[in-house]
Amino acid sequence: MRCAWGAVGMRVESFSAEYLEEVLSWWSARGEGEMPAWLLPPCGVVAVDDDGPCAAGWLTVFEGVAAGQIDWLIGRPGLAPRQARAACKAVYEGLERAAREKGLRMIFASALRTPMAREARACGFRTTAEGVTHLAKAI
């Protein structure tokens, strides 16, 4: 997949183990704690520029319905804003393509920060509920 936003030298590809160690380190570098690899869904994409991976995200496919969730979107710390936006959009495009290939008809997205929500909206996502708190419980 090529980035449709014209970012020079950027491509989107399926996430592979070769990127895992570097991408997992981004959560710690951002002060967000450690991300366990087992939590990441098997369907992921990574935007890659001339310096390596610059953003990644994953798609969780819900069982029994034609819907999924885009989550765990993260970018390489220190990216310039323009490059970060292009990488984010490329990841959203790649995950949407993967969702279509899986026959999904609806995809949801979560955003940790306001700029991430802005990018999701720029890719066609709409707010479905204000004031919702997403909760999780390890079992």
Side-chain angles (χ1 to χ4, degrees):
M1 290 178 252
R2 296 298 283 168
C3 178
W5 295 273
V8 177
M10 188 179 304
R11 67 186 186 282
V12 177
E13 56 189 60
S14 294
F15 193 85
S16 66
E18 76 178 281
Y19 300 121
L20 187 60
E21 185 177 338
E22 181 174 354
V23 171
L24 288 178
S25 74
W26 296 347
W27 274 277
S28 294
R30 293 180 171 283
E32 296 173 3
E34 297 208 11
M35 170 60 76
W38 59 262
L39 193 54
L40 299 173
C43 181
V45 300
V46 60
V48 181
D49 65 11
D50 294 338
D51 295 322
C54 53
W58 286 264
L59 174 69
T60 299
V61 178
F62 301 145
E63 187 175 338
V65 296
Q69 170 83 25
I70 291 176
D71 213 345
W72 306 118
L73 184 67
I74 191 154
R76 182 173 69 217
L79 279 179
R82 184 176 179 173
Q83 186 75 351
R85 290 188 78 193
C88 181
K89 287 179 180 181
V91 167
Y92 273 119
E93 179 184 70
L95 291 170
E96 183 176 336
R97 179 176 286 167
R100 288 180 188 278
E101 290 172 357
K102 293 179 177 300
L104 303 187
R105 297 179 58 199
M106 174 72 70
I107 46 177
F108 299 91
S110 294
L112 179 61
R113 294 183 173 82
T114 300
M116 294 171 79
R118 181 182 60 237
E119 295 308 323
R121 286 186 189 95
C123 292
F125 287 86
R126 300 290 167 246
T127 302
T128 58
E130 294 289 338
V132 173
T133 301
H134 293 272
L135 304 166
K137 179 179 179 180
I139 57 171

